[in-house]
């Protein structure tokens, strides 16, 4: 007899009281004289066999809770109650362990599948048939969505090189979407960024910035953004590949999140690099940035734009272009924003631009705001406001 069955059976010659633990019946207390026994226990209610079917033994209940897959389909089931039983609560760790083991098995299966498929996929990506290339790129993109197979792809330099070659030469929109999506998934890992960079992927990604497909543009710009943030040498590669000019041309897009990422890429490229600042100027960047400051309200976009303008405003030629585009007025409009970081960037921009704006008139509203900032306890605001007022009133009787 099973040990749990022994626990189920009472001692010979002795009737054990039922506390409700063994039978599963809830304790009800003492019946009053005027209560009907049948009503008290609810025995007159219709019996639903699906709601509760009693177990043969305690062993069956434990097995049903902890290892339900081992029971035949026709077997009785656990009671359906609002609260989990004690056995069910004790069974939770075993179910978690089972899930973890299954996840490990599936992870290994994904890795093994990718390792077997990668050599064949690499050959297919070198095919002369566009249809075969498209289908192979779809499979690789699907594999890159799973962690185990993604690591296998990152470890295959020939496959990455084949993807980059396809991305640089295909005109098929679906193929470009799948290949750029694969590189986007890989770019979330340092190893992936390294293999993309070493395979010459940056030049191909810059080329995709001219695509008319929104998904391809998103994959390309976010992958480039990850490279600029974390991969050494990527900034120079983007500059040499004409990335600055292509990014400035994308500032006419209307998706605010896409614009925020694009402008942050420009900021990463322009910071501390005079040649990049002049490239942005030559591509018409200042006018587009001021237009964004005027007509958009998305805080993150305005913040990233003001941060780029702050970098450009230390360049004499960009400074003149920003002032001529109405940059002083556009920046002044955001001094009353609730975003402290946006206000601070605008103040620094105005501080840098103000010595090139001494000739401007009709700045009464800005001057009043700056005077109010002098009474703020923040040292940065007071310093910037004093510097701006000093420059705007220099040789300008009206502003004085």
């Amino acid at each position: 007899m099973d040990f749990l069955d022994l626990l189920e059976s009472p001692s010979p010659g002795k009737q054990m009281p039922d506390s409700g633990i063994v039978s599963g019946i809830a304790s009800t207390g003492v019946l009053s004289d005027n209560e009907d026994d049948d009503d008290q226990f609810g025995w007159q209610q219709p019996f639903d066999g699906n709601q509760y079917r009693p177990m043969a033994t305690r062993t069956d209940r434990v097995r049903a809770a902890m290892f339900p897959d081992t029971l035949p389909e026709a077997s009785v089931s656990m009671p359906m109650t609002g609260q989990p039983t004690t056995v069910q609560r004790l069974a939770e760790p075993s179910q978690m362990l089972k899930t973890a083991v299954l996840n490990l098995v599936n992870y290994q299966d994904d890795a093994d599948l990718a390792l077997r498929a990668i050599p064949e996929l690499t050959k297919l990506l070198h095919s002369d048939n566009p249809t075969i290339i498209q289908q192979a790129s779809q499979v690789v993109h699907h594999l890159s969505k799973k962690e185990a197979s993604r690591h296998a792809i990152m470890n295959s330099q020939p496959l990455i090189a084949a993807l980059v070659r396809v991305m640089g030469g295909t005109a098929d929109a679906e193929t470009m979407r799948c290949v750029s999506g694969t590189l986007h998934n890989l770019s979330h890992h340092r190893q992936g960024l390294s293999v993309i960079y070493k395979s010459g992927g940056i030049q191909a990604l810059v080329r995709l910035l001219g695509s008319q497909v929104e998904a391809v543009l998103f994959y390309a710009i976010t992958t480039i953004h990850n490279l600029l943030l974390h991969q050494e040498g990527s900034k120079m590669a983007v500059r040499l590949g004409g990335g600055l000019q292509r990014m400035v041309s994308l500032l006419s897009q209307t998706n605010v999140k896409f614009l925020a990422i694009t402008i942050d890429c420009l900021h990463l490229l322009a910071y501390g690099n005079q040649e990049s600042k002049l490239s942005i100027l030559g591509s018409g960047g200042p006018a587009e940035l001021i237009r964004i400051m005027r007509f958009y309200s998305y805080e993150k976009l305005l913040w990233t734009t003001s941060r780029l303008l702050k970098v450009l405003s230390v360049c004499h030629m960009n400074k003149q272009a920003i002032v001529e585009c109405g940059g002083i007025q556009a920046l002044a409009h955001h001094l009353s924003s609730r975003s402290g970081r946006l206000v601070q960037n605008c103040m620094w921009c105005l501080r840098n631009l103000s010595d090139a704006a001494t000739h401007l008139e009709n700045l009464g509203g800005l001057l009043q705001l700056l005077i109010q900032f002098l009474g703020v306890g923040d040292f940065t605001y007071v310093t910037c406001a004093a510097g701006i007022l000093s420059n705007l009133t220099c040789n300008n009787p009206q502003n004085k």
Side-chain angles (χ1 to χ4, degrees):
M1 179 180 293
D2 196 309
F3 173 72
L4 293 177
D5 291 335
L6 290 174
L7 294 178
E8 180 75 20
S9 303
S11 301
K14 180 180 181 182
Q15 180 64 37
M16 296 181 65
D18 184 2
S19 65
I21 296 177
V22 175
S23 65
I25 300 174
S27 299
T28 59
V30 180
L31 288 173
S32 61
D33 294 338
N34 58 355
E35 287 181 331
D36 183 40
D37 290 354
D38 290 345
D39 291 339
Q40 176 70 13
F41 287 97
W43 289 345
Q44 293 181 347
Q45 298 296 323
F47 177 75
D48 184 359
N50 292 325
Q51 181 178 8
Y52 174 65
R53 289 174 291 183
M55 285 293 180
T57 64
R58 180 178 294 180
T59 302
D60 293 331
R61 291 199 297 274
V62 173
R63 183 178 292 115
M66 303 186 69
F67 308 104
D69 296 340
T70 64
L71 295 176
E73 294 183 0
S75 176
V76 290
S77 60
M78 292 293 291
M80 300 296 293
T81 61
Q83 298 294 329
T85 65
T86 301
V87 174
Q88 288 172 332
R89 288 196 296 268
L90 291 173
E92 291 178 2
S94 68
Q95 291 298 321
M96 293 173 62
L97 177 60
K98 175 184 175 183
T99 302
V101 171
L102 289 175
N103 288 338
L104 288 173
V105 171
N106 293 334
Y107 184 96
Q108 187 61 45
D109 289 344
D110 292 340
D112 293 341
L113 174 63
L115 288 173
R116 291 194 301 268
I118 282 174
E120 185 63 28
L121 289 170
T122 304
K123 295 177 182 178
L124 294 175
L125 288 171
H126 284 90
S127 173
D128 295 330
N129 189 328
T131 303
I132 293 177
I133 294 176
Q134 182 190 100
Q135 293 173 348
S137 65
Q138 289 173 339
V139 174
V140 176
H141 185 213
H142 177 74
L143 291 174
S144 70
K145 296 178 181 180
K146 298 183 178 181
E147 184 178 359
S149 51
R150 185 162 59 243
H151 283 283
I153 293 173
M154 288 188 292
N155 289 324
S156 176
Q157 182 73 30
L159 178 60
I160 302 299
L163 290 172
V164 171
R165 187 189 69 83
V166 169
M167 188 168 56
T170 185
D172 179 69
E174 177 62 14
T175 302
M176 286 192 292
R177 185 189 70 81
C178 292
V179 175
S180 59
T182 299
L183 296 186
H184 167 76
N185 292 336
L186 300 183
S187 70
H188 295 292
H189 305 268
R190 287 195 176 274
Q191 183 183 356
L193 292 172
S194 177
V195 72
I196 292 171
Y197 174 75
K198 292 178 180 178
S199 300
I202 289 181
Q203 186 173 0
L205 288 166
V206 169
R207 174 182 173 271
L208 292 186
L209 293 180
S211 173
Q212 300 300 315
V213 181
E214 185 176 352
V216 173
L217 277 177
F218 169 79
Y219 285 141
I221 196 64
T222 51
T223 304
I224 291 174
H225 187 245
N226 290 336
L227 284 161
L228 293 174
L229 284 172
H230 305 295
Q231 179 59 45
E232 185 179 356
S234 60
K235 294 179 182 179
M236 183 58 66
V238 172
R239 294 184 187 113
L240 294 175
L244 279 161
Q245 293 80 1
R246 287 188 179 270
M247 290 177 190
V248 172
S249 68
L250 293 173
L251 296 181
S252 59
Q253 296 283 328
T254 56
N255 186 308
V256 292
K257 294 183 179 180
F258 176 83
L259 286 173
I261 296 174
T262 303
I263 292 174
D264 198 47
C265 288
L266 289 170
H267 172 262
L268 292 168
L269 292 166
Y271 184 80
N273 189 279
Q274 180 65 16
E275 184 178 350
S276 295
K277 296 173 186 176
L278 294 177
S279 295
I280 294 174
L281 174 62
S283 302
E288 288 294 328
L289 296 172
I290 296 304
R291 181 185 64 81
I292 290 171
M293 293 297 295
R294 283 177 172 170
F295 298 111
Y296 286 88
S297 58
Y298 182 52
E299 191 273 342
K300 187 173 183 179
L301 174 58
L302 294 173
W303 174 68
T304 53
T305 304
S306 64
R307 191 167 60 158
L308 176 56
L309 286 170
K310 183 172 66 172
V311 170
L312 297 177
S313 65
V314 300
C315 169
H316 177 72
M317 297 182 67
N318 270 289
K319 180 185 299 188
Q320 295 291 340
I322 293 171
V323 171
E324 291 173 4
C325 292
I328 297 293
Q329 295 83 352
L331 291 165
H333 175 71
H334 295 287
L335 291 182
S336 56
S337 171
R338 295 182 178 180
S339 172
R341 61 179 186 173
L342 173 59
V343 172
Q344 191 172 80
N345 276 344
C346 289
M347 289 287 283
W348 279 115
C349 287
L350 290 169
R351 175 66 181 85
N352 294 336
L353 297 171
S354 58
D355 62 339
T358 57
H359 62 286
L360 296 181
E361 298 180 352
N362 300 320
L363 297 178
L366 171 59
L367 296 174
Q368 290 179 3
L369 280 174
L370 293 172
I371 292 173
Q372 294 176 8
F373 274 109
L374 292 176
V376 177
D378 189 282
F379 177 78
T380 300
Y381 288 156
V382 172
T383 302
C384 288
I388 297 167
L389 287 170
S390 176
N391 286 332
L392 292 180
T393 56
C394 180
N395 298 322
N396 191 316
Q398 183 178 2
N399 288 342
K400 289 181 180 179

